[in-house]
Amino acid sequence: MSTQTQSTKDQRIQRRRSEILTAAVQLFQEDGYHSTTTHAVAERAGISVGLIYQYFGNKEDLLRAAIVDILADFRDRVPAAMAQAGSDPEARIRMGFRTLVEVIDEKPEATVLSYRESMTLSKEGRDEIKALEVETAEPFRRALLDGMASGDFRDIDADLVVHNLLLTAHGWALKQWRLSRWLDLDAYVERELDLLLRAIRP
């Protein structure tokens, strides 16, 4: 098989997988995880049930994949964005937070689902999610520690600040129905960053 043929096949597989996950997330949100069947997911995605099982072992695999999908986006995109911001700790935090909210804005249903249904997963699934969350948090923690060392930030509990920063980013999905009445994404990012940075500057 040629490289181009393999690439086309891989893209088709990824596209189909994404379509299945999108359908699953929508139904999990609309009807709840426990009430949703794989038949309903297949119907929403416009495919056969058998095709779902070519990609996912069972309904829990679908839920786990949907949650891991957004967390993997955080893990991959946030550190890359922060690295592009250079060495300045505040610039890194700004870029990381904006990227985090942008990913959430792209996948608000999956973000909410991760809060609602993550405890439904097996211990193995929960452990995978926790590991991904730690990976997402680490670049922010390093930026805060660097800022404290350089004097850009006062002496703070870096882990607690990261905790609040991540919760604030998730709030864009959890409370967007209310926030969007007077804020768009850019305004939300800038105003929340202003509050955060005012609290940690000397």
Side-chain angles (χ1 to χ4, degrees):
M1 182 182 295
S2 69
T3 302
Q4 182 176 359
T5 301
Q6 183 62 49
S7 176
T8 301
K9 182 180 178 182
D10 291 344
Q11 289 173 5
R12 186 170 61 250
I13 290 171
Q14 186 58 41
R15 184 172 61 252
R16 179 65 74 189
R17 184 179 183 276
S18 178
E19 290 169 353
I20 294 170
L21 285 179
T22 297
V25 168
Q26 290 172 351
L27 288 168
F28 291 158
Q29 279 291 91
E30 292 169 12
D31 303 329
Y33 169 73
H34 296 288
S35 297
T36 299
T37 66
T38 52
H39 284 80
V41 174
E43 183 176 352
R44 176 67 64 91
I47 60 173
S48 67
V49 174
L51 189 56
I52 288 182
Y53 291 120
Q54 291 183 27
Y55 293 86
F56 305 97
N58 53 40
K59 190 169 73 170
E60 183 182 325
D61 283 347
L62 273 172
L63 175 63
R64 179 173 173 176
I67 297 174
V68 166
D69 183 60
I70 188 169
L71 293 174
D73 275 353
F74 293 157
R75 178 201 61 199
D76 296 340
R77 290 171 57 179
V78 170
M82 294 176 76
Q84 289 181 350
S87 60
D88 180 69
E90 182 172 319
R92 284 152 59 193
I93 288 173
R94 284 184 174 278
M95 185 62 75
F97 182 75
R98 170 169 288 279
T99 303
L100 197 63
V101 178
E102 286 174 349
V103 174
I104 289 167
D105 189 62
E106 292 168 12
K107 300 180 178 179
E109 293 176 328
T111 303
V112 174
L113 183 69
S114 69
Y115 275 87
R116 281 178 44 186
E117 302 291 356
S118 59
M119 292 307 295
T120 303
L121 296 175
S122 65
K123 182 180 183 302
E124 181 185 9
R126 295 195 302 272
D127 287 345
E128 181 180 15
I129 288 170
K130 290 175 184 176
L132 285 167
E133 288 183 353
V134 169
E135 285 189 64
T136 301
E138 184 57 24
F140 289 106
R141 193 179 75 87
R142 288 199 304 269
L144 289 165
L145 293 176
D146 288 347
M148 291 163 61
S150 65
D152 291 313
F153 302 144
R154 62 186 180 82
D155 189 19
I156 52 175
D157 183 334
D159 290 316
L160 186 58
V161 173
V162 173
H163 167 78
N164 285 319
L165 190 151
L166 296 179
L167 282 181
T168 300
H170 293 158
W172 180 244
L174 295 169
K175 296 296 181 181
Q176 190 177 25
W177 63 270
R178 182 168 183 271
L179 292 165
S180 61
R181 294 177 184 175
W182 78 95
L183 295 172
D184 61 14
L185 185 146
D186 287 337
Y188 182 75
V189 167
E190 291 305 316
R191 293 187 190 185
E192 290 290 3
L193 279 171
D194 182 60
L195 289 171
L196 170 76
L197 294 169
R198 282 175 183 266
I200 66 177
R201 289 188 187 115

